[in-house]
Amino acid sequence: MLTEKMLKTLNEQVKKEAYASHLYLAMASWVENQGFEGIAEWFYAQSEEERVHMMKFIRYINERGGHAIVPVIEEPPKDFPGIKAAFEASLEHEQMVSGAINDIVALALHEKDFATNNWIQWFVEEQREEEDSVQRIIDRLEIIGDHGHGLYVFDRDIMAMRGTH
Ligand code: FEO
């Protein structure tokens, strides 16, 4: 059984993952409207991944005898100041999520809930990979600039950067 505190914390994480999925979906839609189909694909795929994360939390909570709550999701921004700015906002968001995952690890260890500690380790690794992948994109955009020909090439190649570490 999960403690009340763990149940509440895991349900808060459901909401964070749901918001992340919404945020990436908003970025995908905005980017697609700017005419960058490859970058939009990247954000659409990211949004799907975040939905999978949310589902993992929902299923885990219920499996452990808790009640996973499907949350109201806050409306994400509609517009973003630029392509690089959108990725910077993504990185900031991922860092916040990593902090929340680390807090769950700390709580699990504090409560001697080793099952949750084991289960959450997948997310620890996933967050490390996500931060790394967004950082590499920002680094690339810093080199090529986020306009003109460089961005056209980047839009063509970005999907190839998924899952290559
Ligand atoms: Fe599921 Fe990227 O946080």
Side-chain angles (χ1 to χ4, degrees):
M1 274 296 278
L2 300 167
T3 63
E4 275 305 309
K5 187 167 183 190
M6 183 59 87
L7 177 59
K8 186 167 172 282
T9 306
L10 293 175
N11 265 319
E12 280 164 6
Q13 195 64 31
V14 169
K15 191 166 185 160
K16 288 190 177 78
E17 302 291 346
Y19 180 75
S21 178
H22 249 43
L23 178 63
Y24 285 128
L25 194 53
M27 288 172 173
S29 180
W30 177 79
V31 168
E32 194 166 42
N33 264 268
Q34 306 298 305
F36 294 106
E37 286 174 18
I39 301 171
E41 271 323 303
W42 191 94
F43 279 115
Y44 279 125
Q46 200 66 25
S47 175
E48 292 288 339
E49 271 192 19
E50 297 299 351
R51 184 180 154 76
V52 170
H53 293 175
M54 176 194 73
M55 291 301 298
K56 280 180 188 276
F57 276 94
I58 287 177
R59 301 298 295 265
Y60 180 72
I61 292 167
N62 286 339
E63 189 189 307
R64 294 291 311 278
H67 182 182
I69 307 301
V70 176
V72 170
I73 311 171
E74 194 188 318
E75 188 175 327
K78 291 181 189 62
D79 297 305
F80 299 87
I83 301 285
K84 186 154 147 287
F87 282 106
E88 282 164 350
S90 304
L91 181 60
E92 207 173 298
H93 189 78
E94 290 303 336
Q95 286 165 341
M96 183 278 287
V97 171
S98 297
I101 297 288
N102 288 342
D103 287 346
I104 296 173
V105 174
L107 179 63
L109 291 175
H110 177 73
E111 291 186 346
K112 295 191 166 59
D113 179 351
F114 298 118
T116 298
N117 178 55
N118 260 349
W119 178 80
I120 200 81
Q121 294 304 314
W122 182 87
F123 282 92
V124 173
E125 178 59 13
E126 176 75 3
Q127 283 309 121
R128 187 193 63 72
E129 283 177 14
E130 286 197 336
E131 281 190 35
D132 177 54
S133 131
V134 179
Q135 184 64 62
R136 283 183 310 119
I137 288 171
I138 293 170
D139 291 348
R140 186 77 57 97
L141 286 170
E142 256 155 30
I143 295 166
I144 64 175
D146 75 341
H147 54 271
H149 183 70
L151 196 55
Y152 172 82
V153 173
F154 179 75
D155 182 57
R156 192 193 60 196
D157 295 346
I158 183 173
M159 284 304 279
M161 289 177 77
R162 279 191 85 81
T164 57
H165 291 277

